[in-house]
Amino acid sequence: MYNNSITAELDIQIFIEVKKMTKVPYEVYTEEVDTLSVLSPDGKIVNKDLLPELSDDQLKEIMYRMVFTRTWDDRAVNLGRQGRLGFYAPVSGQEATMVGSEFALEKDDFVCPGYRDMPQIVWHGLPLYQAFLYSRGHQHGGQIPEGVNVLMPQIIIGAQILHAMGIAMGYKLKKQKQVVITYTGDGGSSEGDFYEGLNYAGVYKLPVIFFVQNNGYAITTPFSKQTAALSIAHKAVAAGIKGVKVDGMDVLAVIKAVRDAAERGRNGEGATLIEAVTYRFRPHSLSDDASKYRTKEEEGEWNEKDPIARLAKYLEQKGLWTEEDTARVKDEAKAKVNEQIKKAEQTEKMTVPGLIDSMFEQTPKHLEEQKADFQ
Amino acid sequence: MAQMNMKEAIRDAMRVELSRDPNVVIFGEDVGNVGGVFRVTEGLQKEFGEERVFDTPLAESAIGGLAVGLGIQGFRPIAEIQFVGFIFEALDQIVVQAARMRYRSGGRYHSPIVFRTPFGGGVKAAELHTDALEGFITQTPGIKVVVPSNPYDAKGLMIAAIRDNDPVFFMEHLNLYHAFRAEVPEGEYTVELGKANVVREGTDVTIIAYGLMVHTATKAADELEKNGIKAEIIDLRTIAPIDIDTVLASVKKTNRAIVVQEAQKSAGVAAEVIAQINERAILHLEAPVLRVAPPDTVYPFAQIEDTWLPTPARIVETVNKVLNF
């Protein structure tokens, strides 16, 4: 009896194994993929072949931008609590994905951000005080200077993915070599616009990079409730484009992934979906309480993977960075933020007549009449 | 001058602009190879190539987003939404993205897009192919809405819409595509957006309409004339913005007016026209301005379409109400 039961269990085991191995020819299979990784959390190179080519100055510049961005985020959260900033989505924890992905592009490439992606458009050329104005609800925040190829942050999750696809088609029709990058999160990858954008980019072979920062939560909803796919990167398969999964706390891996994708785009090889696995150290926004949906243990585990600490260790080992450098950048960043928030606060207020005049190229008669009520 | 139906006139407008401006591109579901399900763009891909006139995958939100992206790149996209009921899939891109682009960017970017879509009742089409959904769009700041009623206007309005640097929602009535032919000049000309047209002069009552309802109103006016009532008919042509000056000039002459619309009665274009008449000309009125419009139900299945839509008889009846007030 006892022996029989063991045999039966073994039979089941074998049956399961055989079933696993037998692929039905007309069924679709996907497999788990590795995560592209270059730096270990203690700052050691784990994959030399994948290390992107970067000069010492470039490495220091990346470090500078990441420390600057973290300090700006700290200050912005404080400014928000003081009521000096409007809507603000914190970025700490995501410096590798934000700074790294933008750094991998050329200046004339185009950036289509989601609502949290202010660092990318600032590093791409938007003056910081305009970023603050955007948060403060001032139209000048979205008046991107000529020659800076970015859109203002998109509030409707996923809508910017379609704009990126259209801008990329523009480059293709004009036979220009630029690529377009667009950002969304793990939540955004569930939107219809996400699938439509990937699909169009596949059909038309467009030079666009769909960069998903999977920070584990769509406001409060965990990634486990977002998709049953093996990963977000796997969704590229359905659109016939390249999919890549990358360690989003590893800035060198992020740069490697985006550079490869940009090269494919410039070579006419089409679009790439990059999933960067990351974490936001802070809540979704200043009115969100992350302790309601995340544990201290989980937050602690991710703090261990801090992208800034990781790059700092690597650079310290190379003799390129010291703690004093970090302190110096922090001071610089604080001074710059103070100066730029003041500039934002001193910018002349919007007016209703000005708003009316920004609706159409030529203000129609009925709006001219309505303007009179506010003059 | 050539004789064209409205479909041919719209096609001719697009051909003129494709020839004139290399930034004009046309895309949508089935618009390339066969020229769309109504063949409005027939032959244009063959003439201008697949980079200028092309088919898209079946996804309306992406059609809208593609238009917005190409607009940022300096193109003048003409994006076709195959049937009006499918605009719901693209509504974010039309009313949130395209219509707000100029405002959100403080003028840095704009959306010089024409969204074309067939609509309109009386053809016994499938559900959501024929609804008059213009109210959704006319409530949206930042976009113009055009509804031509004849081939001449359709061509001139389409050329004006393509050249406009702001988004235009261009609604083509299914029942007018092949309804009749009229003289249409060759080459380029524009009909100014935002300008109504007095299509029939009269002294006793003003009937304000647009799209197919201009023709329904004309039939009613013929009936009224048999009884010696001279109705003036105004074709709005553009329903956002509304050319209220032309309406007021007529109302001040006739002192009585009704508005006819194919969309359900409440919160529509007719309500807006009446509100503006009240604001500006109430002392000129001898009677309240009434509406002829379908009831506030969903658009009916084909069986009762003809009785649900405004008819000449109901227009005559309503005119008699304002005359006998």
Side-chain angles (χ1 to χ4, degrees), chain A residues 254-361:
Chain A
V254 169
I255 290 173
K256 162 72 180 161
V258 176
R259 275 190 182 172
D260 287 353
E263 196 183 324
R264 273 196 291 278
R266 284 186 232 286
N267 291 341
E269 293 164 47
T272 305
L273 168 63
I274 297 172
E275 175 189 5
V277 183
T278 180
Y279 200 75
R280 64 170 149 76
F281 290 164
R282 290 200 155 103
H284 157 70
S285 71
L286 302 185
S287 45
D288 174 41
D289 176 5
S291 72
K292 296 261 193 266
Y293 54 90
R294 301 196 308 207
T295 63
K296 282 270 168 258
E297 292 71 34
E298 181 187 285
E299 290 180 0
E301 281 168 30
W302 280 95
N303 277 322
E304 293 297 309
K305 298 176 186 171
D306 189 327
I308 295 181
R310 188 182 304 204
L311 185 67
K313 282 175 196 158
Y314 174 64
L315 295 190
E316 281 162 15
Q317 288 156 26
K318 285 174 76 86
L320 294 174
W321 199 263
T322 62
E323 276 181 26
E324 290 74 47
D325 289 320
T326 300
R328 172 182 54 80
V329 178
K330 279 184 180 172
D331 288 344
E332 257 183 67
K334 277 182 204 160
K336 179 86 173 171
V337 167
N338 285 344
E339 172 212 303
Q340 294 282 297
I341 189 72
K342 278 190 193 118
K343 188 169 177 186
E345 285 169 340
Q346 283 159 7
T347 303
E348 206 177 322
K349 273 195 170 181
M350 285 175 70
T351 64
V352 175
L355 161 68
I356 286 173
D357 279 335
S358 67
M359 294 307 303
F360 293 98
E361 184 179 41

Side-chain angles (χ1 to χ4, degrees), chain A residues 160-213:
Chain A
Q160 73 278 14
I161 294 169
L162 301 178
H163 304 159
M165 174 270 286
I167 293 166
M169 182 178 278
Y171 285 136
K172 193 171 173 176
L173 291 175
K174 292 194 270 189
K175 316 243 178 315
Q176 288 173 214
K177 284 287 183 194
Q178 284 105 306
V179 300
V180 185
I181 192 165
T182 183
Y183 297 90
T184 193
D186 37 316
S189 75
S190 298
E191 287 279 2
D193 282 355
F194 176 82
Y195 294 97
E196 293 189 16
L198 263 60
N199 188 52
Y200 270 53
V203 169
Y204 297 123
K205 259 193 162 190
L206 299 177
V208 56
I209 304 164
F210 302 102
F211 194 98
V212 178
Q213 295 172 90

Side-chain angles (χ1 to χ4, degrees), chain B residues 2-84:
Chain B
Q3 290 277 323
M4 291 184 197
N5 62 29
M6 198 174 87
K7 179 175 90 176
E8 291 159 348
I10 293 168
R11 182 193 301 145
D12 196 45
M14 291 191 278
R15 182 185 286 118
V16 165
E17 290 305 285
L18 280 163
S19 304
R20 200 186 63 85
D21 183 350
N23 290 319
V24 174
V25 288
I26 297 177
F27 51 86
E29 292 154 8
D30 310 300
V31 303
N33 189 26
V34 300
V37 291
F38 293 103
R39 309 290 183 263
V40 181
T41 54
E42 192 171 39
L44 297 180
Q45 185 180 65
K46 207 171 171 196
E47 192 175 342
F48 295 96
E50 279 188 45
E51 290 204 338
R52 305 283 308 281
V53 182
F54 55 91
D55 292 325
T56 64
L58 203 164
E60 289 80 13
S61 186
I63 290 172
L66 179 59
V68 172
L70 284 170
I72 288 164
Q73 283 280 30
F75 288 88
R76 289 193 180 277
I78 304 172
E80 180 179 303
I81 303 293
Q82 196 162 60
F83 284 97
V84 74

Side-chain angles (χ1 to χ4, degrees), chain A residues 139 142-144 148 150 153-154 159 162-163 167 171 174-175 193 196 200 204 355 358 360-361 365-366 369, chain B residues 51 55-57 59 61-63 65 73 92-93 97 102-106 108-109 142 165-166 241 245 280:
Chain A
Q139 192 177 32
Q143 275 176 324
I144 312 296
V148 177
V150 306
Q154 179 57 242
L162 301 178
H163 304 159
I167 293 166
Y171 285 136
K174 292 194 270 189
K175 316 243 178 315
D193 282 355
E196 293 189 16
Y200 270 53
Y204 297 123
L355 161 68
S358 67
F360 293 98
E361 184 179 41
K365 193 163 173 269
H366 73 288
E369 286 173 14
Chain B
E51 290 204 338
D55 292 325
T56 64
S61 186
I63 290 172
Q73 283 280 30
D92 174 59
Q93 291 296 336
Q97 306 301 333
R102 184 181 293 281
Y103 148 73
R104 293 186 69 232
S105 68
R108 170 71 167 84
Y109 302 117
N165 282 331
D166 289 302
D245 290 347
R280 295 153 196 262

Side-chain angles (χ1 to χ4, degrees), chain B residues 177-222:
Chain B
Y177 273 150
H178 308 109
F180 60 96
R181 288 174 179 276
E183 288 201 341
V184 174
E186 277 165 39
E188 55 179 294
Y189 68 91
T190 56
V191 170
E192 192 180 342
L193 304 184
K195 282 274 178 275
N197 190 26
V198 180
V199 292
R200 181 185 183 121
E201 293 199 6
T203 47
D204 301 325
V205 63
T206 302
I207 305 176
I208 300 141
Y210 54 97
L212 183 70
M213 290 302 109
V214 173
H215 302 281
T216 312
T218 302
K219 284 179 194 152
D222 289 343

Side-chain angles (χ1 to χ4, degrees), chain B residues 160-179:
Chain B
I162 294 168
R163 294 180 187 181
D164 200 281
N165 282 331
D166 289 302
V168 177
F169 195 74
F170 199 93
M171 302 180 71
E172 302 165 9
H173 203 289
L174 282 170
N175 233 342
L176 290 175
Y177 273 150
H178 308 109

